[in-house]
């Protein structure tokens, strides 16, 4: 009996993509339609949906607000901070040849201007310059950054003390610009509470994309022009803050009563104190500080270990920059995940799971230090890339709800100052975290060339990351779409400035209009 080739017979479920109708035109099959739907959804997710989102923010707030956030969070604190982190690491290590514990302490000192953010906030809230509350402070912040980074770049034999002073001045410029734009975010979060999470997502998205660009360029730039030359490049990102001060649309207030500044300072301080006494404010503030302070910062130790030729994998400048750029991608994924799926979840539950993930993600560093990844056939470079991506994504998921929560705790009239106060509490936590990390490395004798006890440093850090969960009950269970403060604290008619024009910035008046 002759064999039959069953392949010649069509299967019952086969669909021929080349089928034609009676006129000879190809038929649209279910498979083709499915592929088209997937392609359209992907195009909508990557392009059309973000465009609609930006358009919505521009229409409901103001285009100058969106541009200012992108310039400051994206360029100055995204690109600029990423380049600064890598270049300053190499600057302390190669130019001044200091120990990792010292570098960790220096990084804490450089962050001091961020701790005194309420001072900058008070200036921007109650002391206008030439009738403007925001524009002059953007210009001042940009000038401080330009001058300080040019001095560091051009002075080849700058003493370590003066270099530290210039770093502090540059940090002050970044802090002032951050306070000023955060004041605008806080104001609009009060006027449009349903957009509070979207505005923080805009800040986080701009920062993450900026860091991705900055880290991608940092290693190449350091290899080509050295760490000092790269630090000089930061004057360009600082100059963009000056540009923001020029384009930012703000109503000028004429005939400002400067003689009443002292009284307004007193009124603002009294309102901040009464707000901080509220149970709904100080309890989440305690949790925010604890969760940051107990997450020991050992970045400098990891950096020295990454670049060590004996104990570590001895990564090059380009490799370090690429690793951190992948971390920026992880941060970007965290922002997108928060915006698309998690922004409406209650604060307490989201912070609980993000803090727990934060603790477990630190175990990846421990696997790397013990080189267990090599036993599974995973190269150091690939494992570090995965580690950095996962860690930064979890950090962003932990940080986003904290920012939204902070914006919800700001009373009307002193939004910028109070948001700066909450952020300064966070930065005191960062300073504590940095100095405790440096102290731990010093006690366990982790130096430029000695990493025997570095695994113990990482283990202690990971254990301490879990402890803040004991204070999670202090976080409110409400979702981000609801106000947390009582109505009397959010009453815009009780603004500290009681003159005819209660709000100077045009973007706030536009927020009123959209309501």
């Amino acid at each position: 009996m002759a064999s039959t080739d069953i392949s010649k017979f069509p299967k019952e479920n086969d669909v021929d993509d080349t089928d034609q109708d009676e006129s000879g035109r190809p038929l649209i099959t279910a498979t083709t339609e499915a592929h088209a739907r997937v392609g359209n959804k992907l195009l909508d997710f990557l392009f059309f949906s973000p465009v609609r989102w930006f358009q919505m923010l521009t229409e409901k707030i103001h285009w100058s607000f969106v541009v200012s956030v992108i310039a400051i969070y994206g360029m100055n604190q995204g690109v600029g901070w990423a380049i600064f982190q890598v270049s300053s690491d190499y600057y302390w290590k190669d130019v001044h040849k200091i120990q990792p514990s010292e570098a960790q302490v220096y990084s804490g000192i450089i962050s001091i201007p961020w701790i005194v953010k309420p001072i900058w906030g008070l200036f921007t809230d109650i002391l206008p310059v030439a009738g403007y509350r925001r524009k002059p402070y953007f210009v001042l912040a940009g000038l401080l950054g330009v001058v300080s980074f040019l001095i560091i770049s051009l002075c080849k034999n700058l003493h370590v003390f003066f270099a530290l002073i210039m770093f502090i001045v540059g940090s002050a410029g970044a802090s002032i610009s951050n306070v000023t734009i955060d004041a605008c975010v806080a104001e609009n979060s009060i006027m449009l509470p349903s957009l509070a999470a979207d505005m923080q997502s805009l800040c986080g998205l701009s920062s993450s994309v900026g860091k991705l660009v900055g880290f991608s360029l940092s290693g190449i730039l350091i290899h080509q022009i050295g760490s000092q030359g790269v630090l000089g490049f930061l004057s360009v990102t600082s100059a963009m803050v000056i540009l923001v001060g020029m384009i930012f649309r703000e109503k000028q207030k004429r005939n400002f009563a400067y003689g009443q500044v002292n009284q307004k300072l007193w009124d603002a301080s009294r309102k901040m104190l009464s707000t901080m006494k509220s149970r709904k404010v100080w309890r989440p503030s305690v949790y925010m500080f604890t969760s940051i302070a107990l997450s020991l910062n050992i970045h400098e130790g990891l950096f020295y270990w990454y670049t060590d030729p004996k104990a570590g994998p001895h990564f090059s400048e380009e490799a370090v920059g690429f690793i951190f750029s992948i971390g920026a991608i992880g941060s970007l994924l965290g922002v997108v995940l928060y915006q698309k799926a998690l922004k409406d979840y209650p604060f307490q539950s989201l912070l609980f799971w993000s803090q727990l993930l934060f603790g477990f993600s630190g175990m990846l560093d421990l696997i790397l230090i013990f080189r267990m990844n090599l036993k599974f056939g995973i190269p150091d470079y690939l494992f570090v890339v995965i580690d950095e991506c996962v860690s930064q994504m979890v950090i962003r998921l932990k940080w986003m709800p904290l920012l939204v929560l902070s914006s919800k705790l700001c009373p009307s009239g002193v939004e910028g100052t109070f948001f700066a106060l909450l952020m300064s509490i966070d930065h005191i936590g960062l300073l504590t975290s940095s100095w405790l990390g440096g102290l731990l490395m010093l006690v366990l004798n982790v130096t430029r060339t000695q990493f025997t006890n570095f695994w113990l440093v990482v283990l202690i850090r990971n254990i301490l990351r879990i402890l803040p969960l004991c204070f999670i009950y202090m976080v409110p269970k409400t979702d981000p779409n609801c106000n947390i403060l009582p109505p009397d604290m959010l009453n815009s008619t009780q603004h500290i400035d009681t003159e005819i024009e209660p709000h100077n910035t045009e973007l706030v008046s536009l927020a009123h209009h959209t309501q």
Side-chain angles (χ1 to χ4, degrees):
M1 181 176 178
S3 62
T4 302
D5 188 359
I6 62 174
S7 64
K8 294 180 180 179
F9 293 92
K11 295 180 180 179
E12 184 177 352
N13 296 326
D14 280 353
V15 178
D16 185 5
D17 290 341
T18 61
D19 286 346
Q20 297 178 344
D21 59 15
E22 295 178 356
S23 61
R25 292 176 297 184
L27 293 171
I28 299 177
T29 65
T31 304
T32 306
E33 290 180 346
H35 290 166
R37 286 195 298 269
V38 172
N40 291 336
K41 288 182 179 179
L42 183 61
L43 184 63
D44 181 75
F45 178 77
L46 295 177
F47 181 74
F48 293 114
S49 181
V51 169
R52 288 194 300 268
W53 184 59
F54 276 103
Q55 185 178 8
M56 179 272 295
L57 289 176
T58 304
E59 291 175 353
K60 290 192 174 182
I61 309 176
H62 195 266
W63 70 266
S64 64
F65 171 79
V66 177
V67 172
S68 298
V69 168
I70 294 173
I72 293 176
Y73 269 98
M75 292 302 300
N76 185 246
Q77 296 175 32
V79 175
W81 182 85
I83 292 177
F84 171 79
Q85 180 177 345
V86 180
S87 57
S88 63
D89 285 343
Y90 278 102
Y91 181 76
W92 295 128
K93 180 176 181 287
D94 297 336
V95 176
H96 292 288
K97 302 185 184 303
I98 64 176
Q99 299 293 341
S101 57
E102 293 179 86
Q104 195 69 62
V105 172
Y106 288 167
S107 68
I109 295 175
I110 293 170
S111 69
I112 287 178
W114 294 79
I115 295 176
V116 296
K117 286 176 68 174
I119 296 178
W120 320 134
L122 278 172
F123 282 126
T124 61
D125 275 339
I126 68 174
L127 186 60
V129 178
Y132 294 104
R133 294 172 64 199
R134 311 302 184 197
K135 293 167 68 74
Y137 294 100
F138 283 131
V139 175
L140 172 63
L143 287 174
L144 290 176
V146 169
V147 172
S148 60
F149 289 118
L150 282 179
I151 291 176
I152 294 173
S153 177
L154 297 176
C155 297
K156 300 301 179 183
N157 297 317
L158 191 64
H159 190 272
V160 62
F161 174 77
F162 294 106
L164 186 60
I165 294 297
M166 289 299 101
F167 277 133
I168 293 174
V169 173
S171 178
S175 175
I176 293 172
S177 66
N178 179 266
V179 167
T180 309
I181 195 64
D182 280 349
C184 300
V185 173
E187 285 174 339
N188 284 282
S189 295
I190 293 175
M191 301 304 163
L192 295 171
S194 62
L195 292 180
D198 291 277
M199 284 184 277
Q200 292 298 341
S201 295
L202 176 64
C203 297
L205 181 66
S206 302
S207 176
S208 297
V209 173
K211 288 177 182 178
L212 173 60
V213 175
F215 282 130
S216 300
L217 295 175
S218 59
I220 300 173
L221 291 174
I222 291 173
H223 182 75
Q224 295 295 327
I225 60 178
S227 58
Q228 279 188 281
V230 175
L231 288 170
F233 177 77
L234 297 181
S235 60
V236 177
T237 61
S238 298
M240 295 197 69
V241 181
I242 301 177
L243 182 62
V244 168
M246 295 178 178
I247 68 171
F248 190 78
R249 293 187 64 181
E250 181 180 7
K251 290 183 179 179
Q252 184 179 18
K253 175 173 289 187
R254 303 182 184 277
N255 302 321
F256 178 77
Y258 286 96
Q260 299 179 7
V261 169
N262 291 334
Q263 181 61 39
K264 291 178 180 179
L265 278 172
W266 171 252
D267 292 340
S269 301
R270 186 174 56 186
K271 188 167 188 177
M272 289 171 58
L273 181 60
S274 63
T275 304
M276 186 56 72
K277 288 181 179 179
S278 172
R279 181 183 178 88
K280 294 183 177 181
V281 176
W282 69 261
R283 283 165 60 92
S285 299
V286 169
Y287 173 79
M288 287 189 286
F289 171 80
T290 306
S291 67
I292 296 173
L294 293 182
S295 303
L296 300 192
N297 184 353
I298 56 171
H299 167 78
E300 301 299 335
L302 285 170
F303 170 76
Y304 277 65
W305 185 81
Y306 284 161
T307 56
D308 189 79
K310 296 180 180 179
H314 194 204
F315 293 139
S316 63
E317 293 93 341
E318 293 89 344
V320 170
F322 179 76
I323 289 169
F324 289 148
S325 68
I326 296 299
I329 294 177
S331 179
L332 178 61
L333 291 175
V335 175
V336 173
L337 180 59
Y338 175 80
Q339 174 65 23
K340 293 293 184 180
L342 302 175
K343 69 175 184 178
D344 294 324
Y345 276 73
F347 289 114
Q348 188 177 107
S349 61
L350 185 55
L351 286 172
F352 173 84
W353 290 109
S354 60
Q355 188 71 38
L356 192 63
L357 286 174
F358 187 48
F360 285 121
S361 66
M363 293 300 176
L364 294 174
D365 291 330
L366 205 59
I367 294 174
L368 179 66
I369 292 172
F370 282 127
R371 317 309 285 272
M372 295 173 62
N373 56 294
L374 298 179
K375 296 180 181 180
F376 296 102
I378 305 176
D380 288 332
Y381 189 73
L382 177 60
F383 191 84
V384 170
V385 165
I386 297 173
D387 180 8
E388 189 69 17
C389 183
V390 172
S391 298
Q392 292 302 318
M393 182 180 68
V394 174
I395 289 174
R396 181 59 69 176
L397 289 176
K398 174 177 175 286
W399 189 243
M400 290 298 296
L402 288 178
L403 290 175
V404 178
L405 176 60
S406 296
S407 69
K408 294 287 185 178
L409 299 178
C410 297
S412 178
V414 287
E415 304 92 344
T417 306
F418 201 81
F419 191 85
L421 175 62
L422 295 176
M423 291 298 99
S424 70
I425 293 174
D426 293 346
H427 282 91
I428 292 174
L430 289 172
L431 177 63
T432 305
S433 169
S434 185
W435 284 359
L436 287 177
L439 178 62
L440 184 61
M441 287 189 287
L442 180 64
V443 170
L444 295 179
N445 194 33
V446 176
T447 67
R448 290 170 54 89
T449 57
Q450 181 61 254
F451 297 93
T452 304
N453 295 326
F454 193 46
W455 69 270
L456 186 56
V457 173
V458 175
L459 179 61
I460 294 174
R461 181 204 64 177
N462 296 343
I463 294 173
L464 291 177
R465 282 182 174 182
I466 305 296
L467 291 183
L469 292 177
C470 299
F471 302 92
I472 194 67
Y473 68 92
M474 293 185 169
V475 177
K477 296 181 180 180
T478 57
D479 65 80
N481 296 318
C482 302
N483 287 323
I484 297 176
L485 296 181
D488 60 321
M489 290 186 180
L490 298 176
N491 187 0
S492 61
T493 60
Q494 296 180 356
H495 203 276
I496 293 300
D497 188 0
T498 57
E499 297 191 30
I500 296 176
E501 296 177 349
H503 298 287
N504 290 326
T505 53
E506 186 167 327
L507 58 90
V508 177
S509 63
L510 287 171
H512 276 296
H513 178 71
T514 56
Q515 286 186 311

